[in-house]
């Protein structure tokens, strides 16, 4: 039965599922629908749902499983407990995913998805309470007693509190704030309903008679008659200048004679430094009490040469001792649980200080090549076995006799191709299990180079040393290095997070009642609107730029970051490196967009142009086609992208990163195979060439997915983040098989690099010197090269995105063609005048001197 036809079971089961619940604070009486389902009804999941506020209008259930896509189901039945919905499931389903949502995704009652394991047959029955992540399988487990579920100091004299039921007037009047369990100097003046909502909670604001002092931050308890007392956690109040240390140098500062340790934890009663004799020692060899120095900073200096010494901090706050790694450290053990003091000077390769960064004359000169450290060399037999999949595999040079052209691999491949910069998928420590493949988008420690890519992961100096060797090798070859950074979320949260250990409830965005927000779509989201969180990001970027000579950054889900943070990091980094390359994804993982397309206008920050991507290829993983992958494509979308999106979402073309594929989703070749697999391979190769031709002849910054230059495939895997080498590793023999694709892309890169007309930086120049032509069925435009210093006075570019040949009319005499459907570059192919024919799915470039 299909998902839809199975809904007919709803009326059968619903009639049998009415249950009677105790309306008092006690748990509802357990009544199992499974006991009353007759034979032949099939399998189903009954979901009971309770909202403490009693407001069910508009709320519905979104359910899916491995054999059925997501569907909306109404809470159509009613019991004393609340409402219920029935999810029919077929015999193959083992688990159902659930989201309780308001209308059509207006809101969710809990950020994280819930998953229910199904009984082998019959009916599975669960109970959910709004805002509570728990999935109750036994009604006896349910406690509906009114209680406080969160209390947060969000200003020095204001507490946000949340309860599962409305407070009575008497409860509001008699509330008190205790310090160390006793009445203190901070009386609760008023409690009023808050303008902020939290799913399944009733939110209030309590005003205090005086500002809370730092000494009392972790000793506060909110008392409301009739309810369990609730610990008050300092949250937004820590943004007050009294509690921030924006100028502090945090982390460890090593010298051969002594190391100074500094940590920020304004809520701590005490902080201890735990030193270990060996990185894997069971207990600390030495415990050193740290001293408060003001504004939440704790510090101590330990004499001796501590190079190679593992350490942790023990924070005592809110009545609990939390032991964690130093979030500001520069090295760590392979499991990321302990940080390590190292002498960074000892990780510098010979000549490191004298190796200059390759410079960039203008942002649009950048031609970005995205790759993953492991993917690039894991399956390259020319690389020594110990370097495959490692930092050092990035700079392997082929033997001289095969170091160019189709036979080149590794660094020689990059040089032969002609890209200007390598974009490395995340290499900030992600605490990876040595046996697991991962892209790295779940950072643990942001200032530590991932050990998995070092030849000796157990040596905490190996990863910084070998990463520097790789960067030095790339720089010596004239190739710049961009890091993909993931400051929008971390790999862990709550008690597992070193950020939470340092300052509970501060580093992550939370709902008014304290639940983690899911803006990044992975369970937590960094709260960079807070001054000390923003400082952390800026300090980290400054460190990588100074210590590792990084040439640019690609920001994952930059849409989750505040415009203030993006402006601050852009100002800081462009001051440090005027030619730095900065760009990011102007979207989120599902939360509200704060820095979307258009927010970058007028800055030196660029964003991915997904409008051009979609216009060229169609959707990411589905069956829709685009200009280069099917007929009757989005001509307007392509034209806006060709012009650098200046009539779309940019002010200048330097703000648009143009691309047709990246590590996410289907590779371009796999997308073409999906939508045009029935066509001859020669046609699919033409589509692939045309798509990259549009990217490399458009105004803006060009971006190429590593391996796409020889038609990279992942076998149709659209989300290969953990799929391993067999799916992800570069298939170097494929370069020979798709030599025509490779030489075509290489030629287009050479064309772009030789001609500034394709790399204008000013929107006024684009508007004056790029003119689209009225040529039926194709996209064609001219560039006035003289005005921008191009050796070619006039350039004509044409794209045919149709399955049939098209006619291009050349005006004003003779033209020299340098790009056709087979060849690309700067060398003349033929002279032409009058009318020429463009084959299906092809492009052409002509010029007049």
């Amino acid at each position: 039965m299909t998902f839809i036809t199975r809904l007919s079971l709803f009326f059968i089961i619903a009639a049998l599922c009415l249950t009677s619940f105790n309306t008092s604070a006690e748990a509802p009486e357990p009544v199992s629908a499974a006991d009353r389902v007759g034979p032949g009804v099939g399998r189903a999941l009954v979901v009971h749902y309770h909202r403490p506020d009693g407001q069910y209008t508009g709320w519905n259930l979104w359910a899916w499983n491995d054999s059925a896509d997501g569907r909306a189901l109404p809470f159509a039945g009613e019991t004393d407990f609340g409402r219920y919905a029935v999810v029919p499931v077929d015999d193959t389903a083992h688990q159902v995913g659930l989201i309780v949502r308001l209308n059509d995704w207006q809101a969710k009652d809990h950020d994280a998805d819930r998953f229910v394991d199904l009984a082998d047959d019959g009916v599975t029955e669960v109970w959910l309470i709004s805002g509570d992540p728990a999935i109750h399988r036994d009604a006896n487990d349910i406690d509906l007693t009114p209680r406080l579920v969160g209390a947060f100091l969000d200003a020095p004299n204001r507490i946000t509190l949340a309860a599962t039921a409305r407070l009575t007037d008497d409860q509001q009047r008699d509330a008190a704030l205790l310090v160390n369990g006793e009445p203190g100097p901070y009386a609760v003046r008023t409690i009023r309903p808050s303008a902020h909502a939290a799913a399944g909670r009733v939110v209030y604001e309590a005003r205090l008679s005086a500002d809370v002092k730092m000494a009392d931050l972790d000793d506060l308890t909110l008392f409301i008659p009739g309810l369990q007392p609730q610990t008050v956690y300092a949250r937004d109040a820590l943004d007050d200048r009294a509690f921030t240390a924006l100028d502090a140098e945090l982390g460890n500062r090593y010298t051969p004679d002594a190391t100074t340790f500094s940590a920020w934890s304004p809520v701590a009663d005490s902080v201890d430094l735990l030193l270990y004799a060996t990185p894997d020692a069971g207990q600390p060899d030495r415990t050193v009490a740290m001293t408060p120095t003001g504004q939440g900073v704790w510090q101590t200096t330990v004499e001796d040469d501590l190079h190679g010494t593992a350490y942790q901090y023990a924070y005592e706050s809110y009545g609990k001792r939390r032991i964690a790694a130093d979030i500001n450290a520069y090295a760590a053990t392979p499991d990321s649980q302990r940080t390590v003091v190292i002498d960074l000077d000892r990780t510098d390769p010979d000549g490191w200080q004298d190796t200059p960064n390759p410079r960039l004359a203008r942002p649009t000169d950048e031609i970005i090549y995205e790759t993953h450290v492991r993917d690039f060399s894991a399956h390259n037999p020319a690389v020594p076995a110990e370097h495959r999949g490692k930092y050092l595999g990035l700079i392997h040079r082929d033997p001289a006799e095969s170091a160019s052209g189709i036979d080149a691999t590794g660094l020689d491949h990059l040089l032969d191709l002609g890209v200007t910069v390598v974009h490395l998928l995340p290499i900030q420590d992600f605490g990876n299990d040595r046996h697991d493949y991962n892209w790295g988008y779940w950072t643990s420690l942001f200032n530590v180079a991932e050990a998995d890519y070092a030849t000796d992961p157990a040596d905490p100096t190996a990863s910084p040393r070998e990463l520097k060797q790789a960067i030095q090798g790339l720089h010596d070859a004239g190739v710049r290095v961009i890091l993909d950074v993931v400051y929008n979320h971390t790999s862990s949260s709550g008690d597992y997070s070193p950020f939470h250990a340092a300052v509970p409830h501060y580093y992550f965005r939370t709902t008014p009642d304290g639940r983690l927000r899911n803006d990044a779509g992975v369970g937590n989201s960094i709260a960079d609107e807070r001054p000390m969180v923003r400082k952390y990001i800026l300090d980290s970027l400054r460190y990588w730029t100074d210590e590792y000579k990084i040439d640019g950054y690609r920001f994952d889900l930059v849409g989750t970051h505040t415009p203030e943070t993006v402006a601050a990091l852009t100002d800081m980094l462009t001051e440090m490196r005027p030619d730095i390359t900065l760009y990011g994804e102007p979207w989120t993982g599902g939360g509200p967009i704060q820095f979307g397309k258009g927010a970058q206008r007028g800055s030196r920050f660029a964003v991915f142009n997904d409008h051009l991507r979609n216009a060229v290829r169609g959707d990411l993983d589905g069956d829709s086609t685009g200009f280069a992958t099917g007929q009757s494509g989005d001509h307007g979308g392509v034209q806006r992208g060709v012009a650098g999106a200046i009539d779309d979402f940019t002010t200048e073309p330097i703000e648009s990163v143009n691309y047709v594929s990246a590590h996410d989703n289907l590779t371009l070749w796999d997308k073409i195979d999906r939508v045009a697999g029935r066509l001859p391979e020669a046609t699919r190769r033409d589509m692939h060439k045309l798509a990259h031709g549009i990217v490399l002849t458009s105004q803006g910054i060009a971006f190429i997915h590593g391996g796409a230059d020889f038609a990279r495939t992942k076998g149709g895997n659209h989300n290969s983040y953990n799929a391993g080498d067999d799916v992800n590793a570069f298939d170097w023999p494929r370069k020979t098989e798709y030599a025509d694709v490779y030489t075509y892309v290489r030629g287009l890169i050479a064309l772009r690099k030789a001609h500034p007309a394709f790399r204008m930086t000013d929107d006024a120049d684009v508007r004056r010197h790029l003119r689209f032509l009225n040529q039926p069925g194709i996209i064609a435009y001219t560039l006035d090269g003289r005005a921008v210093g191009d050796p070619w006075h006039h350039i004509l570019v044409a794209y045919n995105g149709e399955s049939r040949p098209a006619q291009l009319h050349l005006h004003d005499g003779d033209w020299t063609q340098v790009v056709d459907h087979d060849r690309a570059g700067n060398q003349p192919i033929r002279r032409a005048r009058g009318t020429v024919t463009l084959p299906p799915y092809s492009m052409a470039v002509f010029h007049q001197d």
Side-chain angles (χ1 to χ4, degrees), residues 235-236 239 487-489 505-510 519 524-535 537 560-562 565 594:
R235 191 168 58 181
D236 290 349
D239 294 346
Y487 292 106
N488 61 81
H489 71 274
H505 301 285
Y506 182 75
Y507 282 94
F508 302 99
R509 290 179 181 146
T510 54
D519 298 359
N524 67 65
S525 184
I526 288 290
D528 67 284
E529 62 274 14
R530 294 177 177 150
M532 288 300 287
V533 181
R534 184 175 298 154
K535 168 185 166 59
I537 295 171
T560 68
H561 290 303
T562 64
T565 295
Q594 303 199 64

mmCIF file of all heavy atoms in Angstrom, residues 235-236 239 487-489 505-510 519 524-535 537 560-562 565 594:
data_model
loop_
_atom_site.group_PDB
_atom_site.id
_atom_site.type_symbol
_atom_site.label_atom_id
_atom_site.label_comp_id
_atom_site.label_asym_id
_atom_site.label_seq_id
_atom_site.Cartn_x
_atom_site.Cartn_y
_atom_site.Cartn_z
ATOM 1 N N ARG A 235 23.188 34.326 31.002
ATOM 2 C CA ARG A 235 23.150 34.135 29.545
ATOM 3 C C ARG A 235 23.460 35.484 28.889
ATOM 4 O O ARG A 235 24.619 35.887 28.828
ATOM 5 C CB ARG A 235 21.799 33.573 29.114
ATOM 6 C CG ARG A 235 21.736 33.094 27.671
ATOM 7 C CD ARG A 235 20.469 32.291 27.373
ATOM 8 N NE ARG A 235 19.230 33.009 27.636
ATOM 9 C CZ ARG A 235 18.008 32.488 27.461
ATOM 10 N NH1 ARG A 235 17.874 31.239 27.023
ATOM 11 N NH2 ARG A 235 16.921 33.201 27.711
ATOM 12 N N ASP A 236 22.466 36.198 28.377
ATOM 13 C CA ASP A 236 22.748 37.453 27.690
ATOM 14 C C ASP A 236 23.328 38.514 28.623
ATOM 15 O O ASP A 236 23.945 39.477 28.155
ATOM 16 C CB ASP A 236 21.472 37.999 27.040
ATOM 17 C CG ASP A 236 21.025 37.164 25.853
ATOM 18 O OD1 ASP A 236 21.808 36.298 25.413
ATOM 19 O OD2 ASP A 236 19.893 37.358 25.373
ATOM 20 N N ASP A 239 26.905 39.678 28.220
ATOM 21 C CA ASP A 239 27.320 40.626 27.192
ATOM 22 C C ASP A 239 27.629 42.002 27.785
ATOM 23 O O ASP A 239 28.185 42.862 27.099
ATOM 24 C CB ASP A 239 26.228 40.783 26.134
ATOM 25 C CG ASP A 239 26.022 39.505 25.340
ATOM 26 O OD1 ASP A 239 26.892 38.607 25.423
ATOM 27 O OD2 ASP A 239 24.993 39.398 24.645
ATOM 28 N N TYR A 487 32.372 28.068 11.623
ATOM 29 C CA TYR A 487 32.151 28.744 12.899
ATOM 30 C C TYR A 487 30.676 28.840 13.273
ATOM 31 O O TYR A 487 30.341 29.483 14.268
ATOM 32 C CB TYR A 487 32.764 30.143 12.862
ATOM 33 C CG TYR A 487 34.274 30.157 12.810
ATOM 34 C CD1 TYR A 487 34.951 30.485 11.652
ATOM 35 C CD2 TYR A 487 35.030 29.823 13.934
ATOM 36 C CE1 TYR A 487 36.341 30.498 11.602
ATOM 37 C CE2 TYR A 487 36.421 29.835 13.899
ATOM 38 C CZ TYR A 487 37.065 30.170 12.731
ATOM 39 O OH TYR A 487 38.447 30.176 12.691
ATOM 40 N N ASN A 488 29.798 28.213 12.500
ATOM 41 C CA ASN A 488 28.364 28.343 12.789
ATOM 42 C C ASN A 488 27.860 27.300 13.779
ATOM 43 O O ASN A 488 26.783 27.455 14.333
ATOM 44 C CB ASN A 488 27.558 28.267 11.498
ATOM 45 C CG ASN A 488 27.739 26.948 10.775
ATOM 46 O OD1 ASN A 488 27.106 25.950 11.121
ATOM 47 N ND2 ASN A 488 28.593 26.923 9.772
ATOM 48 N N HIS A 489 28.594 26.198 13.990
ATOM 49 C CA HIS A 489 28.179 25.189 14.964
ATOM 50 C C HIS A 489 29.395 24.384 15.385
ATOM 51 O O HIS A 489 30.481 24.543 14.827
ATOM 52 C CB HIS A 489 27.098 24.267 14.380
ATOM 53 C CG HIS A 489 27.608 23.321 13.337
ATOM 54 N ND1 HIS A 489 27.719 23.675 12.000
ATOM 55 C CD2 HIS A 489 28.039 22.046 13.408
ATOM 56 C CE1 HIS A 489 28.201 22.657 11.309
ATOM 57 N NE2 HIS A 489 28.406 21.648 12.137
ATOM 58 N N HIS A 505 25.577 27.594 28.587
ATOM 59 C CA HIS A 505 24.461 28.322 27.982
ATOM 60 C C HIS A 505 24.861 29.645 27.337
ATOM 61 O O HIS A 505 23.980 30.453 27.006
ATOM 62 C CB HIS A 505 23.341 28.582 29.001
ATOM 63 C CG HIS A 505 22.777 27.335 29.597
ATOM 64 N ND1 HIS A 505 21.933 26.503 28.908
ATOM 65 C CD2 HIS A 505 22.952 26.772 30.825
ATOM 66 C CE1 HIS A 505 21.604 25.486 29.684
ATOM 67 N NE2 HIS A 505 22.217 25.610 30.838
ATOM 68 N N TYR A 506 26.166 29.868 27.096
ATOM 69 C CA TYR A 506 26.566 31.154 26.511
ATOM 70 C C TYR A 506 26.945 31.045 25.041
ATOM 71 O O TYR A 506 26.521 31.862 24.220
ATOM 72 C CB TYR A 506 27.734 31.755 27.291
ATOM 73 C CG TYR A 506 28.164 33.105 26.750
ATOM 74 C CD1 TYR A 506 27.400 34.243 26.996
ATOM 75 C CD2 TYR A 506 29.308 33.250 25.967
ATOM 76 C CE1 TYR A 506 27.761 35.485 26.491
ATOM 77 C CE2 TYR A 506 29.689 34.488 25.452
ATOM 78 C CZ TYR A 506 28.910 35.598 25.719
ATOM 79 O OH TYR A 506 29.263 36.821 25.213
ATOM 80 N N TYR A 507 27.737 30.085 24.670
ATOM 81 C CA TYR A 507 28.302 30.049 23.320
ATOM 82 C C TYR A 507 27.290 29.634 22.251
ATOM 83 O O TYR A 507 27.534 29.843 21.062
ATOM 84 C CB TYR A 507 29.508 29.109 23.269
ATOM 85 C CG TYR A 507 30.761 29.734 23.848
ATOM 86 C CD1 TYR A 507 31.111 29.535 25.178
ATOM 87 C CD2 TYR A 507 31.585 30.542 23.073
ATOM 88 C CE1 TYR A 507 32.249 30.114 25.710
ATOM 89 C CE2 TYR A 507 32.722 31.129 23.598
ATOM 90 C CZ TYR A 507 33.050 30.916 24.919
ATOM 91 O OH TYR A 507 34.175 31.497 25.444
ATOM 92 N N PHE A 508 26.174 29.060 22.657
ATOM 93 C CA PHE A 508 25.199 28.558 21.694
ATOM 94 C C PHE A 508 23.894 29.332 21.782
ATOM 95 O O PHE A 508 23.489 29.765 22.863
ATOM 96 C CB PHE A 508 24.926 27.071 21.941
ATOM 97 C CG PHE A 508 26.157 26.215 21.856
ATOM 98 C CD1 PHE A 508 26.817 25.808 23.003
ATOM 99 C CD2 PHE A 508 26.662 25.820 20.623
ATOM 100 C CE1 PHE A 508 27.959 25.033 22.933
ATOM 101 C CE2 PHE A 508 27.792 25.035 20.542
ATOM 102 C CZ PHE A 508 28.453 24.645 21.685
ATOM 103 N N ARG A 509 23.241 29.487 20.644
ATOM 104 C CA ARG A 509 21.925 30.119 20.643
ATOM 105 C C ARG A 509 20.914 29.174 21.286
ATOM 106 O O ARG A 509 20.901 27.972 21.016
ATOM 107 C CB ARG A 509 21.487 30.444 19.217
ATOM 108 C CG ARG A 509 22.296 31.562 18.596
ATOM 109 C CD ARG A 509 21.880 31.853 17.176
ATOM 110 N NE ARG A 509 22.716 32.914 16.630
ATOM 111 C CZ ARG A 509 23.098 33.015 15.372
ATOM 112 N NH1 ARG A 509 22.694 32.106 14.493
ATOM 113 N NH2 ARG A 509 23.865 34.009 14.969
ATOM 114 N N THR A 510 20.066 29.751 22.097
ATOM 115 C CA THR A 510 19.040 28.965 22.769
ATOM 116 C C THR A 510 17.692 29.663 22.662
ATOM 117 O O THR A 510 17.605 30.874 22.437
ATOM 118 C CB THR A 510 19.380 28.750 24.257
ATOM 119 O OG1 THR A 510 19.623 30.022 24.878
ATOM 120 C CG2 THR A 510 20.592 27.856 24.418
ATOM 121 N N ASP A 519 19.651 26.518 14.133
ATOM 122 C CA ASP A 519 19.783 27.348 12.940
ATOM 123 C C ASP A 519 20.672 26.700 11.887
ATOM 124 O O ASP A 519 20.470 26.876 10.688
ATOM 125 C CB ASP A 519 20.373 28.709 13.305
ATOM 126 C CG ASP A 519 19.494 29.503 14.249
ATOM 127 O OD1 ASP A 519 18.413 29.003 14.616
ATOM 128 O OD2 ASP A 519 19.890 30.615 14.636
ATOM 129 N N ASN A 524 22.929 22.433 16.984
ATOM 130 C CA ASN A 524 23.313 23.621 17.752
ATOM 131 C C ASN A 524 23.735 24.716 16.797
ATOM 132 O O ASN A 524 23.983 24.469 15.605
ATOM 133 C CB ASN A 524 24.414 23.316 18.777
ATOM 134 C CG ASN A 524 25.746 22.960 18.138
ATOM 135 O OD1 ASN A 524 26.379 23.772 17.476
ATOM 136 N ND2 ASN A 524 26.194 21.720 18.337
ATOM 137 N N SER A 525 23.823 25.926 17.294
ATOM 138 C CA SER A 525 24.189 27.072 16.461
ATOM 139 C C SER A 525 24.958 28.064 17.316
ATOM 140 O O SER A 525 24.512 28.440 18.413
ATOM 141 C CB SER A 525 22.938 27.727 15.885
ATOM 142 O OG SER A 525 23.267 28.778 15.012
ATOM 143 N N ILE A 526 26.129 28.466 16.846
ATOM 144 C CA ILE A 526 26.982 29.387 17.591
ATOM 145 C C ILE A 526 26.326 30.769 17.679
ATOM 146 O O ILE A 526 25.829 31.299 16.679
ATOM 147 C CB ILE A 526 28.365 29.492 16.915
ATOM 148 C CG1 ILE A 526 29.162 28.207 17.136
ATOM 149 C CG2 ILE A 526 29.140 30.687 17.415
ATOM 150 C CD1 ILE A 526 29.615 27.994 18.563
ATOM 151 N N ALA A 527 26.369 31.362 18.877
ATOM 152 C CA ALA A 527 25.715 32.648 19.138
ATOM 153 C C ALA A 527 26.691 33.791 18.902
ATOM 154 O O ALA A 527 27.135 34.465 19.837
ATOM 155 C CB ALA A 527 25.174 32.683 20.568
ATOM 156 N N ASP A 528 27.035 34.048 17.634
ATOM 157 C CA ASP A 528 28.069 35.049 17.357
ATOM 158 C C ASP A 528 27.578 36.477 17.558
ATOM 159 O O ASP A 528 28.360 37.421 17.435
ATOM 160 C CB ASP A 528 28.610 34.875 15.936
ATOM 161 C CG ASP A 528 27.583 35.204 14.875
ATOM 162 O OD1 ASP A 528 26.681 34.388 14.635
ATOM 163 O OD2 ASP A 528 27.665 36.290 14.303
ATOM 164 N N GLU A 529 26.301 36.664 17.885
ATOM 165 C CA GLU A 529 25.824 37.994 18.249
ATOM 166 C C GLU A 529 26.355 38.426 19.613
ATOM 167 O O GLU A 529 26.309 39.612 19.954
ATOM 168 C CB GLU A 529 24.291 38.041 18.249
ATOM 169 C CG GLU A 529 23.623 37.108 19.238
ATOM 170 C CD GLU A 529 23.407 35.698 18.704
ATOM 171 O OE1 GLU A 529 24.001 35.357 17.673
ATOM 172 O OE2 GLU A 529 22.629 34.951 19.329
ATOM 173 N N ARG A 530 26.874 37.482 20.391
ATOM 174 C CA ARG A 530 27.417 37.795 21.714
ATOM 175 C C ARG A 530 28.882 38.210 21.588
ATOM 176 O O ARG A 530 29.652 37.578 20.865
ATOM 177 C CB ARG A 530 27.260 36.593 22.637
ATOM 178 C CG ARG A 530 25.796 36.284 22.914
ATOM 179 C CD ARG A 530 25.587 35.060 23.768
ATOM 180 N NE ARG A 530 24.157 34.876 24.034
ATOM 181 C CZ ARG A 530 23.565 33.716 24.226
ATOM 182 N NH1 ARG A 530 24.287 32.594 24.208
ATOM 183 N NH2 ARG A 530 22.263 33.646 24.453
ATOM 184 N N PRO A 531 29.288 39.259 22.297
ATOM 185 C CA PRO A 531 30.627 39.828 22.086
ATOM 186 C C PRO A 531 31.770 38.833 22.260
ATOM 187 O O PRO A 531 32.706 38.822 21.452
ATOM 188 C CB PRO A 531 30.701 40.945 23.136
ATOM 189 C CG PRO A 531 29.290 41.331 23.384
ATOM 190 C CD PRO A 531 28.484 40.073 23.241
ATOM 191 N N MET A 532 31.714 37.992 23.287
ATOM 192 C CA MET A 532 32.838 37.090 23.516
ATOM 193 C C MET A 532 32.840 35.914 22.524
ATOM 194 O O MET A 532 33.884 35.315 22.269
ATOM 195 C CB MET A 532 32.827 36.580 24.949
ATOM 196 C CG MET A 532 33.223 37.629 25.969
ATOM 197 S SD MET A 532 34.900 38.295 25.725
ATOM 198 C CE MET A 532 35.907 36.908 26.263
ATOM 199 N N VAL A 533 31.692 35.578 21.952
ATOM 200 C CA VAL A 533 31.654 34.566 20.897
ATOM 201 C C VAL A 533 32.236 35.153 19.617
ATOM 202 O O VAL A 533 33.029 34.509 18.921
ATOM 203 C CB VAL A 533 30.224 34.050 20.675
ATOM 204 C CG1 VAL A 533 30.206 32.981 19.599
ATOM 205 C CG2 VAL A 533 29.647 33.507 21.973
ATOM 206 N N ARG A 534 31.853 36.389 19.316
ATOM 207 C CA ARG A 534 32.415 37.055 18.140
ATOM 208 C C ARG A 534 33.928 37.217 18.298
ATOM 209 O O ARG A 534 34.688 37.001 17.344
ATOM 210 C CB ARG A 534 31.744 38.408 17.942
ATOM 211 C CG ARG A 534 32.199 39.143 16.692
ATOM 212 C CD ARG A 534 31.392 40.431 16.507
ATOM 213 N NE ARG A 534 29.989 40.127 16.331
ATOM 214 C CZ ARG A 534 28.995 40.956 16.640
ATOM 215 N NH1 ARG A 534 29.258 42.155 17.152
ATOM 216 N NH2 ARG A 534 27.741 40.608 16.442
ATOM 217 N N LYS A 535 34.362 37.586 19.495
ATOM 218 C CA LYS A 535 35.803 37.684 19.749
ATOM 219 C C LYS A 535 36.489 36.353 19.483
ATOM 220 O O LYS A 535 37.577 36.317 18.886
ATOM 221 C CB LYS A 535 36.053 38.115 21.200
ATOM 222 C CG LYS A 535 37.512 37.970 21.652
ATOM 223 C CD LYS A 535 37.685 38.289 23.120
ATOM 224 C CE LYS A 535 39.039 37.835 23.654
ATOM 225 N NZ LYS A 535 40.190 38.436 22.954
ATOM 226 N N ILE A 537 35.689 34.009 17.378
ATOM 227 C CA ILE A 537 35.798 33.793 15.935
ATOM 228 C C ILE A 537 36.891 34.680 15.343
ATOM 229 O O ILE A 537 37.728 34.228 14.547
ATOM 230 C CB ILE A 537 34.448 34.047 15.258
ATOM 231 C CG1 ILE A 537 33.418 33.011 15.721
ATOM 232 C CG2 ILE A 537 34.577 34.039 13.742
ATOM 233 C CD1 ILE A 537 31.997 33.295 15.270
ATOM 234 N N THR A 560 23.894 32.024 8.831
ATOM 235 C CA THR A 560 23.546 31.974 10.253
ATOM 236 C C THR A 560 24.254 33.061 11.051
ATOM 237 O O THR A 560 23.891 33.320 12.200
ATOM 238 C CB THR A 560 23.906 30.615 10.872
ATOM 239 O OG1 THR A 560 25.328 30.465 10.913
ATOM 240 C CG2 THR A 560 23.298 29.464 10.094
ATOM 241 N N HIS A 561 25.295 33.661 10.485
ATOM 242 C CA HIS A 561 26.065 34.673 11.209
ATOM 243 C C HIS A 561 25.397 36.036 11.090
ATOM 244 O O HIS A 561 24.731 36.345 10.090
ATOM 245 C CB HIS A 561 27.493 34.755 10.678
ATOM 246 C CG HIS A 561 28.332 33.564 11.019
ATOM 247 N ND1 HIS A 561 28.545 33.145 12.308
ATOM 248 C CD2 HIS A 561 29.018 32.687 10.229
ATOM 249 C CE1 HIS A 561 29.321 32.073 12.302
ATOM 250 N NE2 HIS A 561 29.608 31.775 11.059
ATOM 251 N N THR A 562 25.622 36.864 12.088
ATOM 252 C CA THR A 562 25.044 38.198 12.049
ATOM 253 C C THR A 562 25.835 39.082 11.087
ATOM 254 O O THR A 562 27.044 38.892 10.898
ATOM 255 C CB THR A 562 25.061 38.852 13.435
ATOM 256 O OG1 THR A 562 26.427 39.035 13.845
ATOM 257 C CG2 THR A 562 24.336 37.985 14.455
ATOM 258 N N THR A 565 28.978 40.434 12.667
ATOM 259 C CA THR A 565 30.133 39.544 12.727
ATOM 260 C C THR A 565 30.844 39.494 11.385
ATOM 261 O O THR A 565 32.080 39.557 11.313
ATOM 262 C CB THR A 565 29.697 38.132 13.146
ATOM 263 O OG1 THR A 565 29.190 38.174 14.487
ATOM 264 C CG2 THR A 565 30.862 37.155 13.093
ATOM 265 N N GLN A 594 20.257 35.343 8.573
ATOM 266 C CA GLN A 594 20.681 36.646 9.070
ATOM 267 C C GLN A 594 21.580 37.359 8.061
ATOM 268 O O GLN A 594 21.566 38.580 7.963
ATOM 269 C CB GLN A 594 21.418 36.487 10.403
ATOM 270 C CG GLN A 594 20.589 35.785 11.468
ATOM 271 C CD GLN A 594 21.118 36.031 12.861
ATOM 272 O OE1 GLN A 594 21.128 37.163 13.347
ATOM 273 N NE2 GLN A 594 21.558 34.976 13.512
#
